Amino acid sequence: MSSSVQSSTSNPSTLLPLELVDKCIGSRIHIIMKNDKEIVGTLLGFDDFVNMMLEDVTEYESTPEGRRITRLDQILLNGNNITMLVPGGEMPDS
């Protein structure tokens, strides 16, 4: 057993980043992208590169004309473009 996994199991309050993302599968997640888009959806799965598959997705984009909202059934996000993940997060209405 590697030391990182061992330390994680000896202290249950310590989670590795991918373990936290794994616990979010099936839950709503708020994702902030590098291109200033924000995405809220239900996490279906991810891989080691944190490419993510989401369903029931709402995409929020700030444009000069205001905030554009796009609804999608499913989306595959490239992990390289993800800046921040907020487990259980929903986009505020303001």
Side-chain angles (χ1 to χ4, degrees), residues 22-67:
D22 188 59
K23 286 183 176 293
C24 294
I25 291 178
S27 300
R28 300 291 285 172
I29 191 166
H30 179 175
I31 301 169
I32 299 173
M33 307 294 287
K34 286 183 181 175
N35 60 5
D36 291 329
K37 286 185 182 179
E38 296 188 38
I39 295 172
V40 175
T42 301
L43 180 62
L44 295 177
F46 68 99
D47 64 11
D48 289 342
F49 302 103
V50 196
N51 298 315
M52 303 183 117
M53 187 73 189
L54 301 165
E55 71 178 358
D56 188 20
V57 176
T58 305
E59 179 184 78
Y60 301 88
E61 183 178 9
S62 295
T63 67
E65 297 81 35
R67 190 166 73 168

